[in-house]
Amino acid sequence: MTQEINNPLPNAYEAIDLATKASGFNMASDIQTCSLLKTLAASKPSGRFLELGTGTGLSTSWILAGMDRNSTLLSIDNDEKFLDIADRYLSQDSRLALVLADGEEWVENNLEMRFDYIFADTWHGKYLLLDEVLEMLNKGGIYIIDDMMPQPNWPEGHDQKAKNLIKDLEARKDLAITKLVWATGIVIAVKL
């Protein structure tokens, strides 16, 4: 067994990948993370999905590929330049709503919303406003974060933030969590 991805790529993935590289965006989720996102999305039929940190839409395309036709995905990002790439290639999918917003403001203004699946790929919902975002997760809902193993683009001291986040998640009584040495380091939690 290897970490090689032998599944078909989502329809828009290659075009988004080219546009991502041309844009200079260097924080996209890797393909192994994306493959896992698709697999986990398939476990939530008729689900309500939230992605915090759309970027250019690479991971978004994989989440959509795993969702059934009765599911919806709300994806939030604060950078219009990169969100425009996702919009260009994914907006024809009626299950998807792309929102240009500051993550903190969006979370604080939507605390009543509930989701079956949350991929927190930005500071908000991961290092900031963790409690608020986890409160948005339905019982049995899946919470996913990546980049939990050291990355070359981490600023000095970020490794301690990642360690502290994992300790916080492990101490919670309302989650069952698993840490995976897969891709860039994944944590999957399910709300109890």
Side-chain angles (χ1 to χ4, degrees):
M1 186 167 78
T2 67
Q3 292 194 37
E4 184 177 35
I5 304 301
N6 291 317
N7 295 315
L9 300 174
N11 292 335
Y13 182 83
E14 290 183 47
I16 297 171
D17 190 41
L18 287 173
T20 299
K21 290 173 181 162
S23 76
F25 184 69
N26 65 354
M27 297 174 62
S29 295
D30 68 66
I31 197 165
Q32 294 161 325
T33 298
C34 291
S35 174
L36 181 61
L37 292 172
K38 175 185 175 183
T39 300
L40 294 173
S43 75
K44 295 295 178 188
S46 299
R48 296 194 65 213
F49 293 72
L50 174 65
E51 179 181 38
L52 296 167
T54 314
T56 59
L58 286 168
S59 55
T60 314
S61 71
W62 283 85
I63 295 169
L64 288 167
M67 290 170 33
D68 70 11
R69 61 187 176 99
N70 297 315
S71 294
T72 58
L73 171 59
L74 182 59
S75 189
I76 315 296
D77 204 283
N78 69 347
D79 193 315
E80 187 171 13
K81 174 185 173 187
F82 300 128
L83 194 64
D84 282 348
I85 294 171
D87 185 60
R88 184 178 333 140
Y89 295 103
L90 300 173
S91 63
Q92 72 283 0
D93 192 322
S94 63
R95 302 171 299 163
L96 174 65
L98 295 170
V99 176
L100 177 63
D102 174 77
E104 180 178 9
E105 287 178 22
W106 186 89
V107 169
E108 289 178 347
N109 290 325
N110 292 282
L111 293 172
E112 77 288 349
M113 295 185 83
R114 296 294 177 262
F115 298 93
D116 302 302
Y117 176 117
I118 298 174
F119 176 44
D121 196 25
T122 188
W123 282 74
H124 297 101
K126 191 173 182 179
Y127 297 106
L128 303 170
L129 300 173
L130 176 65
D131 291 336
E132 291 83 351
V133 168
L134 289 174
E135 187 62 31
M136 299 172 106
L137 196 61
N138 286 325
K139 185 175 182 177
I142 300 172
Y143 171 80
I144 308 119
I145 54 175
D146 65 347
D147 300 331
M148 298 311 297
M149 294 189 306
Q151 303 298 305
N153 63 348
W154 277 7
E156 187 176 328
H158 188 77
D159 59 328
Q160 192 58 50
K161 284 185 171 88
K163 289 175 188 173
N164 291 341
L165 173 58
I166 290 171
K167 284 174 70 173
D168 288 347
L169 290 170
E170 289 175 328
R172 293 184 69 103
K173 304 296 184 211
D174 61 340
L175 298 175
I177 77 162
T178 295
K179 301 173 291 185
L180 301 174
V181 181
W182 167 263
T184 60
I186 306 284
V187 176
I188 301 171
V190 174
K191 185 84 166 271
L192 300 174

